[in-house]
Amino acid sequence: MESRENPITPFRIDIPQADLDDLARRLEHTRWPEEPPGIGWDHGIPVGYLRELAEYWRTRYDWREQERKLNELPQFTTEIDGHGVHFVHVRSPEPDAVPIVLTHGWPSSIVEFLDVIGPLADPRSHGGDPADAFHVVVPSPPGFTLSGPTRETGWTVRRVAEVWAELMRRLGYTRYVAHGGDFGALVSRELGLIDADHLAAIHLTSVFSASPAPEDADMSVEAERRSVEKAYRYEYELGGYAGIQGTKPQLVSYGLTDSPVAQLAWIADGFKDWTGATNVPEDAVDRDALLTNVMLYWLTGTAGSSARYYKEGMDTWGEPEPDSPVPTAVGVFPHDIALPIRRLAERNHNIVRWTEFDRGGHFGAMEEPALFTADIRAAFRAFREPRGAWAPAL
């Protein structure tokens, strides 16, 4: 329950027009680099595509309409561990709804979950079974978008998990479940370790330590061969951004904070390579949704603080995590940047469900919201009893 010292305050996004005018001026006066002909996406996001996308952003994209849609969601802020935390909190109309906290990763935001919040909170209104309802909490990690930039080092996966445990306690939830992908998967897993008395089960779309090294893989098994190929491509082709953010995040933050086109390129490139997109990111995600995600980073100046999580966690990347007894469901989207293998995940996870989809990628809830929603519902059905264990939202 909230206290007088740490109130929960309603929040609405209201960006000053001067900030939007400044963005338009910067986009209009971008200095564009040269590009050798015919290189496509091999050297990074192509100039021709990015110029067209930036011009759409400047002249046709309607932030005020997106802002209005975001503000249809009940949003709040509260201070935990010395930092403001922004979160969406949609309470289900169903009396037996289960509280769930959804955590995104980088370079994502609450936008990733916009199409699944309604079906999860109110399945009756979306053609689903009301017995599958959730009270949905979607926080922005400190240093990401609407929670604002962090001002000091020391923000780690564990620290965010501790903040989430306090947030759920403050909301009055004595028992809950959690989902996470990318960085959010690490947070959700850690949450199970530090708040096991209250967290009943977790659902992950990333298990980074469960991708086999070539010498450990059974290459006669197609899933393991594809996992090794994915890992090889990430290490030698797609992982440059992580190398920079994991070593000198401040270095890249100058360009991303000063140039909207740099911020756009940095994020849109991932939405092309980490998804089911074939030619451009919009093959996998809606163009306006992509730009809204970019806008949240740009308008809040959180490029650098979100990148710092990579350096804070670099020493433990890819290392097996401590054993987790928490019941864990995993959803594997085939176009993700890493494909976990169940036998490896079972080394240190209590795997109770494993689903391999035929489409979708790193931003599963955004790319394939129906698949994502169905898997979340199925994953947590076994953890809804006894009914009295789930406290109502206060």
Side-chain angles (χ1 to χ4, degrees), residues 227-297:
S227 180
V228 170
E229 290 171 351
K230 281 276 187 179
Y232 186 89
R233 184 175 183 232
Y234 181 80
E235 181 174 0
Y236 293 102
E237 182 181 345
L238 304 181
Y241 77 95
I244 296 174
Q245 295 190 164
T247 54
K248 294 191 175 182
Q250 190 66 22
L251 188 61
V252 73
S253 71
Y254 294 110
L256 300 182
T257 303
D258 185 62
S259 167
V261 165
Q263 181 69 93
L264 176 62
W266 201 244
I267 290 178
D269 193 66
F271 274 83
K272 162 62 166 58
D273 285 332
W274 308 351
T275 66
T278 52
N279 297 308
V280 293
E282 296 94 315
D283 295 337
V285 299
D286 177 77
R287 172 174 276 203
D288 282 357
L290 170 62
L291 289 172
T292 300
N293 187 71
V294 173
M295 283 288 278
L296 291 179
Y297 281 87

Side-chain angles (χ1 to χ4, degrees), residues 11-14 66-75:
F11 176 84
R12 283 180 60 83
I13 305 170
D14 186 14
Q66 301 303 315
E67 185 180 66
R68 182 192 65 78
K69 290 179 180 179
L70 289 170
N71 282 331
E72 290 176 354
L73 294 169
Q75 299 173 71

Side-chain angles (χ1 to χ4, degrees), residues 297-338:
Y297 281 87
W298 172 257
L299 293 170
T300 58
T302 51
S305 55
S306 60
R308 279 200 294 272
Y309 280 100
Y310 280 72
K311 185 169 180 64
E312 297 279 3
M314 178 63 81
D315 291 344
T316 59
W317 276 17
E319 296 296 321
E321 306 96 338
D323 290 351
S324 172
V326 179
T328 301
V330 177
V332 181
F333 289 93
H335 300 294
D336 206 343
I337 55 177

Side-chain angles (χ1 to χ4, degrees), residues 153-184:
T153 60
W155 279 97
T156 61
V157 166
R158 184 177 184 85
R159 188 173 177 182
V160 175
E162 291 169 346
V163 169
W164 277 198
E166 170 59 19
L167 174 62
M168 297 304 278
R169 185 201 67 79
R170 199 171 290 182
L171 291 173
Y173 294 130
T174 60
R175 196 84 168 137
Y176 62 97
V177 296
H179 157 80
D182 190 83
F183 169 77

Side-chain angles (χ1 to χ4, degrees), residues 195-216:
D195 202 27
D197 290 343
H198 303 107
L199 182 60
I202 62 175
H203 178 277
L204 309 176
T205 50
S206 305
V207 187
F208 294 115
S209 64
S211 296
E215 61 272 18
D216 298 326

Side-chain angles (χ1 to χ4, degrees), residues 23-25 27-29 53-61:
L23 169 63
R25 284 192 297 270
L27 289 171
E28 184 177 8
H29 296 290
L53 182 59
E55 183 64 9
Y56 175 89
W57 189 9
R58 186 179 73 87
T59 62
R60 297 172 59 190
Y61 170 81

